[in-house]
Amino acid sequence: MQARDLTRPAIAFVVIVGLVVGASAVAPLVLGGGTPEVTNLAQQQTDADAVRVAAAEESGEITMDSDAESKTILIDQAHGNDLSDEKLSTLVNTLVENGHEVRVVTQDQARGEAWNESLRSADAFLVANPSQPYTPSQLAGVRAFNDAGGRVLLLSDPPSSGGSVISLLGVAVSQPSSGGPSLNSAFGVSAQSGYLFNMQEYETNFQSVYATPGSGSLSEGVDRAVFHDAAAVSTADGQTALSTTEGTKLSTTRRADTYAVAVQSGDVAMVGDTDFLAPTNAYVASNEAFIGNLADFLVSGQKTGNAPAPPSSGSPTGPTAPTRPTAV
């Protein structure tokens, strides 16, 4: 075998490599394409020129403006609700310190006629992240409660992957895959799937988004709030209390926009997050003002008496009074 026979494969390899490299460099110019969009969140986060990390100051205290007489607020813990006592503590302590009564409805206390009996004695009802479906009679009881002027506050974190939403009193809330009864929209308020993030401006990471005030009493005194792992909520006829800053994206669409994270429609309010209630987050930015506004919302309704309808006599389980939690 001659020497030139041995060098031919090597020469061919070098030529091929050169063509590939050259084509890679020329292709964008020929095709007219620009730099491809970076879709990897981690890569985007490391782009220091595009990121503005704005650490929020922790200050202030949670106060209430309402001088309403003592009201009773029910917190639903009967439907596998995902809301820790730690998160609840900031709101519950504020209500109790201002002379209001907070009760928790457990699973045993929500059976049969006891459900309506609990609602009858309450002025406001808080539901957060239910993972078990409501029975038709329970939904009817809550609807009658709200029709009578009872305030309803819904807190909904982004549903987990594969999760879905149902409508409770026309308001979308997290719902287990098992499904369950729902009511058609009566208030035009809903939550979207996915979580919000902002790669240009955030508090500690790209899922800690800032929100600025819109309209309504829930936004009063709020300069800028911080929400962690938040869901987008919306209302057709109500008010947007807080919405995210420009450039915020929804994980399911990647569309940059401003998104509502707190809305109110009459006696119903919905917030797409629960982390802002945690003691470690409650005093960040204007979160303490927003929590105080939520407490005022819960006690500012004008519910008429005897709603929902009293339970019929002869209930097999009998009504059971819910327990009153202690301040944490």
Side-chain angles (χ1 to χ4, degrees), residues 4 109 120 130 173 236 272 325:
R4 64 173 179 271
Q109 295 165 338
R120 277 169 56 80
V173 294

Side-chain angles (χ1 to χ4, degrees), residues 92-115:
V92 169
N93 287 350
T94 300
L95 291 165
V96 172
E97 289 169 358
N98 284 272
H100 303 286
E101 186 174 7
V102 181
R103 300 177 179 177
V104 171
V105 180
T106 66
Q107 197 168 34
D108 289 339
Q109 295 165 338
R111 291 172 179 164
E113 305 294 345
W115 177 254

Side-chain angles (χ1 to χ4, degrees), residues 145-223:
F145 172 85
N146 184 250
D147 287 344
R151 290 281 170 106
V152 178
L153 172 59
L154 300 177
L155 306 176
S156 179
D157 290 313
S160 58
S161 177
S164 59
V165 294
I166 64 165
S167 174
L168 170 63
L169 290 175
V171 182
V173 294
S174 299
Q175 174 68 5
S177 58
S178 57
S182 62
L183 302 176
N184 291 330
S185 176
F187 302 103
V189 185
S190 64
Q192 299 185 47
S193 298
Y195 62 88
L196 298 171
F197 66 95
N198 192 317
M199 305 302 297
Q200 280 73 49
E201 183 179 15
Y202 52 77
E203 200 262 337
T204 54
N205 61 63
F206 61 88
Q207 286 183 252
S208 299
V209 298
Y210 283 105
T212 55
S215 59
S217 60
L218 292 181
S219 65
E220 292 180 358
V222 178
D223 177 42

Side-chain angles (χ1 to χ4, degrees), residues 124-144:
F125 185 50
L126 188 155
V127 179
N129 298 322
S131 61
Q132 298 173 5
Y134 291 78
T135 67
S137 60
Q138 288 175 334
L139 287 172
V142 178
R143 189 170 192 171

Side-chain angles (χ1 to χ4, degrees), residues 63-66 95 151 291-301:
T63 60
M64 294 181 65
D65 294 330
S66 173
L95 291 165
R151 290 281 170 106
I291 294 172
N293 292 344
L294 288 177
D296 286 327
F297 166 79
L298 288 170
V299 304
S300 299

Side-chain angles (χ1 to χ4, degrees), residues 14 31-32 45 49 68 87 91 122 136 141 144 161 164 178 183 188 197 219 227 244 257 283 309:
V14 171
L31 298 176
Q45 192 174 11
D49 294 334
K87 289 182 181 177
L91 182 59
S161 177
S164 59
S178 57
L183 302 176
F197 66 95
S219 65
F227 293 88
T244 61
D257 205 341
Y283 302 94

